[in-house]
C-alpha cells in the first residue's frame, strides 16, 4: 500500500481541505466495493479512505507532513472488510462518517447535520424572558427590592394548560404520545433509524379536537404580571439578574426571567468597577490650613481629614468605602476623593478687602519664594 496519501488522492501537498474532500468523494464512488461497477476495488477503497481520514484532520495532517507517518494507520485497515459487521474499531478515531454518507446519499444522508460526537438532541422551546431594568445609583450602593411589570405566557386557567375544552386531549396515534418518531433508512452501509419530531402533534404527543375557547388550544394566555425582584448592591450596567421560574409557562414547564440592568448615572459619584470617585470643592484657606469634611454616601457619613498644605487636585483613597462585590459581599472597593480649589462666582466687599490683604502678604513672602525658585523661567 502506498504511503504517499497526497498521491493516493491525486492532490498537491498544498491542497485545501475542500479540494481533498472533493478528490476523496470522486475516488470513493469509483472504487467502492459494493456500489461501483466495473472499477470496484476494495483494497484501493481502503487506501483512499485511510488517506482521507488523515489529510482531512488538521492535526493528523500536520503530523503526517512533518514525519511522513500515519498517526492512525492501524486503526483504519484492520476492521474494514464487510460493512455488515459494523464500523467498530475499523476507522481512525475522530473520522467523520457524514462525509462517507454524503458521498453516496446526498440530501438523504440520515447523519447530515449531526455532530461527530452523536446525534444532537431536540431543541426545547425557549420559555425565558429578557427584560431591561433601570436602577438608580442609590440602589447600586445599598441594594433594594424593586417592582416591575412584565408580559408573559401563563397556563390557561380555563383548560388547566391542556389546550382542550374538556381538559382531556387525545394521545397522538402517530407517535403514541412520545412526540417523537423513528424513521428507518436503508443505505449501502445498512439500515439506520433516525428519531425526529412527530409531524402530526408537533412534538406535544397530544391531539386536540376540542380547542379551549379561552386560549384557542395553545394551553396558555398572555398576562401582565407585577413582580418584586431583589436588586443586589454592587450591580453594574449590563449585569444580568436571573429570576428562576418567572418566565413563560407552557405544558407544565416554566422559563426564567433575565433582567438586563442599566444604571442611571449620578451627578456627583462615578464608579469604576467596585471603586467610587468624586470631586469635592474646597476653599484655598482649607487647603493651606487643613480641615475635616464629611461625605454623605447615601446615608453613610464618610469622614476625611485634609492636612494643612494639601495641594490642589490631591486625591485621597479610602479603602473599603466603595461598592460591594456583587459575588462576594465581604469584598468592597475603595472611594477616591479629589479636592479641587473652589473659585467663588460672587465676592463681597469684605472678602475683597481681606483677599487684598492676603495678596499683599503673598507679595512680600510667597511670591518672592516662587521667583527665587523659578527665576530661570518666571520673570
Amino acid at each position: 500500500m502506498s504511503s504517499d496519501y497526497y498521491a493516493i488522492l491525486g492532490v498537491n501537498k498544498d491542497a485545501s481541505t475542500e479540494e481533498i474532500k472533493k478528490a476523496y468523494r470522486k475516488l470513493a464512488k469509483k472504487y467502492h466495493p459494493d456500489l461501483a461497477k466495473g472499477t470496484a476495488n476494495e483494497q484501493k477503497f481502503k487506501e483512499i479512505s485511510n488517506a482521507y481520514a488523515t489529510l482531512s484532520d488538521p492535526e493528523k495532517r500536520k503530523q503526517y507532513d512533518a514525519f511522513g507517518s500515519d498517526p492512525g494507520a492501524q486503526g483504519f485497515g484492520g476492521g474494514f472488510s464487510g460493512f455488515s459487521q459494523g464500523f467498530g474499531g475499523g476507522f481512525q478515531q475522530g473520522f467523520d462518517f457524514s462525509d462517507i454518507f454524503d458521498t453516496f446519499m446526498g440530501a438523504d444522508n440520515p447523519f447530515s447535520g449531526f455532530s461527530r460526537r452523536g446525534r444532537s438532541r431536540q431543541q426545547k422551546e425557549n420559555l425565558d424572558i429578557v427584560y431591561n431594568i433601570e436602577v438608580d445609583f442609590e440602589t447600586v450602593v445599598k441594594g433594594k427590592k424593586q417592582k416591575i411589570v412584565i408580559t408573559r405566557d401563563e397556563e390557561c386557567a380555563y383548560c388547566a394548560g391542556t389546550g382542550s375544552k374538556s381538559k382531556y386531549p387525545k394521545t397522538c396515534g402517530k407517535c403514541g404520545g412520545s412526540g417523537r418518531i423513528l424513521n428507518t433508512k436503508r443505505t449501502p452501509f445498512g439500515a439506520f433509524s433516525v428519531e425526529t419530531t412527530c409531524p402530526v402533534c408537533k412534538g406535544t404527543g397530544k391531539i386536540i379536537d376540542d380547542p379551549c375557547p379561552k386560549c384557542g388550544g395553545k394551553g396558555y394566555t398572555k398576562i401582565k404580571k407585577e413582580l418584586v425582584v431583589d436588586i443586589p448592591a454592587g450591580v453594574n450596567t449590563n449585569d444580568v439578574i436571573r429570576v428562576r421560574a418567572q418566565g413563560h409557562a407552557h405544558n407544565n414547564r416554566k422559563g426564567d426571567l433575565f433582567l438586563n440592568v442599566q444604571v442611571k448615572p449620578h451627578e456627583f459619584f462615578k464608579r469604576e468597577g467596585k471603586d467610587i470617585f468624586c470631586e469635592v470643592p474646597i476653599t484655598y484657606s482649607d487647603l493651606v490650613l487643613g480641615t475635616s469634611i464629611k461625605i454623605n454616601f447615601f446615608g453613610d457619613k464618610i469622614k476625611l481629614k485634609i492636612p494643612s498644605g494639601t495641594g490642589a487636585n490631591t486625591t485621597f483613597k479610602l479603602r473599603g468605602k466603595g461598592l460591594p462585590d456583587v459575588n462576594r459581599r465581604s469584598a468592597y472597593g475603595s472611594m477616591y476623593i479629589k479636592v479641587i480649589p473652589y473659585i467663588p462666582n460672587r465676592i463681597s466687599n469684605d472678602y475683597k478687602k481681606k483677599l487684598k490683604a492676603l495678596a499683599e502678604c503673598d507679595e512680600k513672602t510667597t511670591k518672592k519664594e516662587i521667583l527665587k525658585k523659578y527665576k530661570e523661567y518666571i520673570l
Side-chain angles (χ1 to χ4, degrees), residues 31-225:
Y31 294 111
H32 188 276
D34 296 326
L35 298 181
K37 295 180 180 180
T39 58
N41 187 320
E42 181 176 352
Q43 188 66 20
K44 189 70 174 176
F45 184 63
K46 289 180 183 180
E47 289 186 23
I48 63 174
S49 297
N50 204 37
Y52 176 69
T54 298
L55 299 183
S56 62
D57 185 294
E59 289 300 320
K60 293 178 182 179
R61 183 179 180 181
K62 184 178 179 180
Q63 181 178 335
Y64 177 77
D65 289 341
F67 303 105
S69 61
D70 176 7
Q74 299 301 321
F76 193 96
F80 194 88
S81 58
F83 280 99
S84 61
Q85 296 178 7
F87 300 107
F91 288 93
Q92 291 188 22
Q93 184 178 5
F95 189 79
D96 192 351
F97 290 109
S98 65
D99 286 335
I100 295 179
F101 291 117
D102 282 340
T103 299
F104 300 106
M105 303 176 64
D108 292 328
N109 176 9
F111 290 98
S112 178
F114 281 58
S115 167
R116 290 186 181 189
R117 296 184 179 180
R119 175 174 48 79
S120 61
R121 297 180 179 179
Q122 178 191 10
Q123 292 294 322
K124 290 185 177 181
E125 183 181 14
N126 184 8
L127 301 180
D128 295 332
I129 297 175
V130 178
Y131 183 87
N132 293 326
I133 182 172
E134 189 175 55
V135 301
D136 56 31
F137 209 83
E138 183 175 2
T139 300
V140 172
V141 175
K142 305 175 73 173
K144 75 172 185 180
K145 295 183 180 295
Q146 186 162 322
K147 289 184 180 180
I148 62 170
V149 178
I150 62 171
T151 300
R152 72 181 186 191
D153 297 339
E154 199 158 277
E155 289 189 350
C156 177
Y158 188 86
C159 66
T162 63
S164 168
K165 182 178 180 180
S166 64
K167 300 182 182 180
Y168 295 100
K170 296 180 180 179
T171 300
C172 176
K174 179 73 173 177
C175 64
S178 68
R180 310 286 291 172
I181 59 172
L182 285 176
N183 290 318
T184 302
K185 292 188 177 183
R186 296 192 176 276
T187 74
F189 308 102
F192 294 90
S193 295
V194 181
E195 188 181 72
T196 59
T197 302
C198 176
V200 177
C201 66
K202 310 300 182 186
T204 64
K206 303 293 182 181
I207 300 296
I208 299 174
D209 291 331
D210 58 339
C212 170
K214 296 293 183 181
C215 65
K218 294 183 296 183
Y220 58 87
T221 56
K222 286 193 177 297
I223 66 165
K224 284 194 173 183
K225 181 75 174 181

Side-chain angles (χ1 to χ4, degrees), residues 325-354:
D325 189 315
V326 73
N327 297 313
R328 291 190 306 140
R329 295 299 177 86
S330 59
Y332 281 77
S334 300
M335 178 177 288
Y336 294 85
I337 301 175
K338 183 178 181 180
V339 291
I340 56 176
Y342 182 75
I343 307 300
N345 294 321
R346 295 180 181 180
I347 301 176
S348 66
N349 291 332
D350 183 55
Y351 191 94
K352 284 182 180 180
K353 288 180 181 179
K354 292 178 180 179

